Amino acid sequence: MTRDKRTLAVHAGTRRSQYSEMSEAIFMTQGFVYESAEAAEARFEQAGEDEFIYARYGNPTVRMFEERIAALEGAEDGFATASGMAAVHGALAAMTQAGDHVVAARALFGSCLYVLEEVLACFGVQVTLVDGLDLDAWAQAITPNTKLVFFESISNPTLEVIDIAAVAKLAHAAGALVVVDNVFSTPVYSNAIPLGADVVIYSATKHIDGQGRGLGGVILGSKEIIRSIVEPFMKHTGGAMSPFNAWMMVKSLETLDLRVRAQVATATELAGLLEQRGDLARVIYPGLPSHPQFALTQAQMGAGGTVLAIDVGSKVRAFSMINALEIMLISNNLGDSKSIITHPATTTHQRLPQDQKDLLGIMPGLLRLSIGLESAKDLNSDLQAALDVAFLSD
Ligand SMILES: *Cc1c(COP(=O)(O)O)cnc(C)c1O
C-alpha cells in the first residue's frame, strides 16, 4: 500500500531492537561482532539487509534515517553523510572521472562552486557554468560528453527557480544524469524524482534538523546509483554520518512536515506584507505572484519555501535594519525554527569577486530571511519596525 509522506516520516525505516522500544534507538557503535570466523567471512562476502560491518559503511540508526528520508522523497535508496557538502562532493566525485564534462547552474552555494571549480577541475573534470534559468544555455552547454548536470532547484540567495523537468529532458536526451541540490525546496515540497532528477541531495543541517543542532546530509537515488556508485566511494573516503546525528535527524523527520508547512505559511504572509510596503527595491519570494517563476514554482513545488530575500537599496540601510531587529537572529544558517537574517554580500558571498556578485544579483542592499516558527504577527512587527528604522536613518 502506498503511504502519505506524513505517515512515512513517522514510521519508515524503523528498526526495533529486542526491547521493542517506542523511540528509535541510537546504535552508538563503530563496529559489529560476528558469531564465528565463518560468519565474519560470509558477511564480508555479502552483507544482508540488516547486517552491518563498520559504521563508515553503515549503522542501524544511520540506516533508519536513510530509509526514512528515501521513503519521503520517493527514492529507492539513500546514503547519509556527515554534512551537506559531504553529500554534494560525494555524489559528484563518485559519479565523474577525469575527462568527463559537467554542466552546472552558476547560482550555487559557495562550497558547491568550490567543489566544481577547484576540486573536480583539479581531477580532470571539465566544468561549464550556465545561467540556470536559460534553457538555451543548458541546451548549448550539454554535449554527448556531458556526464551529469548539477543545480540547486531554488538558488541561494536570489531564489531563482530552475525548471527541473525541462533541464532533465535536455540532459537525458544527451545521456547525462541529473543531480539536484534540493535544500531550498525541502523534502516536504519536493517532486524532484518524478520530474526527472536521478540524484537528489539534501543538507540535513537545514530544515531536516531544523533546530540548529547538527550537521548532516544525504544522497538519494536509485538502488543502482546509491549502492553501486555512491556507496563504494563514500564508504572508502569516510564521509559517513554519525549514529548520534542520524538519530537526531530521524526524529526530526517526524516533525519536518509540520514545521516546514508552518514556516512556509509565515514566509508567504510576510513576503506579501513586505511587498505592500512599496519602498523596498525588491521582495523576492518564489511564492509571490510577482516572482518571475511563480507559475513554475506552483507546478514544481506548490509553495515558495521558507526563505525570502529583500533589497533595501544600500549596505548602510541593510546593516541598520539588521541591527534594529529584536526577534530575528543574525546568522548564516537557514531552515531553522528560529528566524535568521543574513547579509550575503558581506558574509556567505563575501569572497565572490564583484563581477560575480553583480552577475548573481548579490546587491549591497540584499538581505536573505529564513523564516522560522515564531508567530507571523511578531515577526512582521519586528521586520516592519526595523525597516522603518533603516529608512529613517538615511
Ligand atoms: C547548506 C547548504 C549546503 C551544504 O550543507 P552543509 O550541511 O552545511 O555542509 C549545500 N547546498 C545548499 C543549497 C545549502 O544551503
Side-chain angles (χ1 to χ4, degrees), residues 314-388:
S314 72
K315 178 181 165 183
V316 173
R317 252 191 224 155
F319 275 30
S320 85
M321 186 221 169
I322 289 184
N323 291 334
L325 286 164
E326 291 179 358
I327 299 173
M328 291 196 87
L329 304 172
I330 308 168
S331 189
N332 39 264
N333 192 18
L334 62 98
D336 203 273
S337 58
K338 295 181 171 68
S339 292
I340 290 168
I341 192 156
T342 314
H343 185 245
T346 53
T347 60
T348 54
H349 294 71
Q350 188 188 106
R351 278 170 227 292
L352 267 193
Q354 191 56 47
D355 60 326
Q356 291 285 319
K357 282 184 190 156
D358 294 344
L359 200 61
L360 296 176
I362 300 169
M363 310 310 276
L366 189 78
L367 292 163
R368 187 187 78 188
L369 284 65
S370 168
I371 304 305
L373 287 172
E374 303 93 338
S375 105
K377 183 175 137 289
D378 288 346
L379 288 177
N380 187 49
S381 312
D382 198 28
L383 285 169
Q384 301 290 347
L387 282 168
D388 290 344

Side-chain angles (χ1 to χ4, degrees), residues 82-86 88 109 111-112 150 152 154 156 181-184 201-206 214-217 333-334 368:
S83 68
M85 283 321 302
V88 171
F109 186 69
S111 301
C112 294
F150 176 70
E152 292 170 16
I154 304 182
N156 172 34
D181 179 334
N182 216 23
V183 167
F184 281 61
I201 291 165
Y202 287 104
S203 160
T205 315
K206 310 293 166 55
L215 293 169
N333 192 18
L334 62 98
R368 187 187 78 188

Side-chain angles (χ1 to χ4, degrees), residues 239-279:
M241 177 180 271
S242 88
F244 184 83
N245 281 21
W247 174 79
M248 209 163 61
M249 300 304 179
V250 89
K251 297 307 289 177
S252 294
L253 283 179
E254 296 181 359
T255 56
L256 178 72
D257 187 285
L258 293 175
R259 288 184 284 111
V260 167
R261 281 183 201 280
Q263 289 169 260
V264 165
T266 306
T268 309
E269 187 180 335
L270 293 175
L273 291 168
L274 289 167
E275 196 170 53
Q276 273 172 27
R277 281 182 65 97
D279 55 358

Side-chain angles (χ1 to χ4, degrees), residues 56 92 94 98 156 182 226 230-231 267 281 296 305 313 326 345:
R56 177 152 42 75
L92 295 179
N156 172 34
N182 216 23
I226 299 301
V230 171
E231 182 193 296
L296 171 65
E326 291 179 358

